[in-house]
Amino acid sequence: MSSFWPAVRLVLEQEGGYVDDPQDRGGETRFGISKRSHPDVDIQSLTLRKAVEIYRTRYWRSYYAEITDQRIANKLFSLAVNMGHGPAQKCLQRAIRGADLPAVKVDGVLGPKTIRSVNDADPRALLASFRSEAACYYRSLKQTRFVTGWENRAYS
């Protein structure tokens, strides 16, 4: 079973400090927590402790812990933080087919069939396919200024 702490450590390593880039649709951001997604949070004053609490309550899903390979859970969590749960979970569902497993419904809902397929997969093959699906998603956003960084996140 996977754990929240390695996943959140990875995300915090990927995310920088305070950023307020006018071209970033997320608006001001700190520790990867954006104003657009969290209008109720004072981003400039956000502490690391509060960011971790937000990650635990709003991003870590109980069913992520059912994923047996920590690397896959880490990638899913990281992508959910960056692109949202639905797109991240759809990328994972598409990646299952790319890992030579029977296809699951690509609906963005991580149900028992998807979890079972994830856990039955060769983790290295699934992770490679998952990375590719995430990179394709990022390229589809057509925000060329950010795509290199997003692809680095996808392939890390």
Side-chain angles (χ1 to χ4, degrees):
M1 297 307 185
S2 55
S3 171
F4 169 74
W5 290 107
V8 79
R9 275 194 296 273
L10 172 73
V11 166
L12 291 170
E13 288 171 9
Q14 293 171 329
E15 298 295 347
Y18 179 79
V19 178
D20 192 6
D21 185 329
Q23 293 183 20
D24 185 348
R25 294 179 187 165
E28 70 179 320
T29 303
R30 185 177 184 100
F31 305 120
I33 306 294
S34 71
K35 189 66 170 178
R36 178 179 179 197
S37 296
H38 305 279
D40 57 316
V41 174
D42 178 358
I43 300 298
Q44 202 163 16
S45 301
L46 182 65
T47 65
L48 180 60
R49 173 180 241 124
K50 180 66 177 170
V52 169
E53 179 184 322
I54 290 169
Y55 282 137
R56 179 186 290 283
T57 59
R58 298 186 190 180
Y59 291 93
W60 183 259
R61 302 291 194 226
S62 60
Y63 44 81
Y64 287 9
E66 296 175 34
I67 297 171
T68 55
D69 189 274
Q70 185 69 50
R71 295 167 299 173
I72 294 169
N74 289 354
K75 178 60 66 185
L76 179 58
F77 179 70
S78 171
L79 294 175
V81 164
N82 192 251
M83 64 175 67
H85 288 287
Q89 292 171 177
K90 285 180 181 179
C91 286
L92 180 59
Q93 289 169 326
R94 283 189 207 91
I96 288 168
R97 186 174 323 150
D100 290 329
L101 291 164
V104 296
K105 185 176 182 181
V106 178
D107 59 5
V109 176
L110 215 61
K113 288 181 183 179
T114 301
I115 294 286
R116 190 170 33 260
S117 290
V118 166
N119 289 338
D120 287 347
D122 171 352
R124 286 179 289 174
L126 181 57
L127 197 54
S129 182
F130 194 14
R131 288 173 171 149
S132 179
E133 290 293 339
C136 287
Y137 173 81
Y138 285 132
R139 284 190 293 273
S140 77
L141 297 177
K142 299 193 186 330
Q143 287 188 272
T144 54
R145 184 170 190 276
F146 300 108
V147 77
T148 299
W150 289 338
E151 284 180 330
N152 289 340
R153 186 182 199 121
Y155 287 117
S156 68

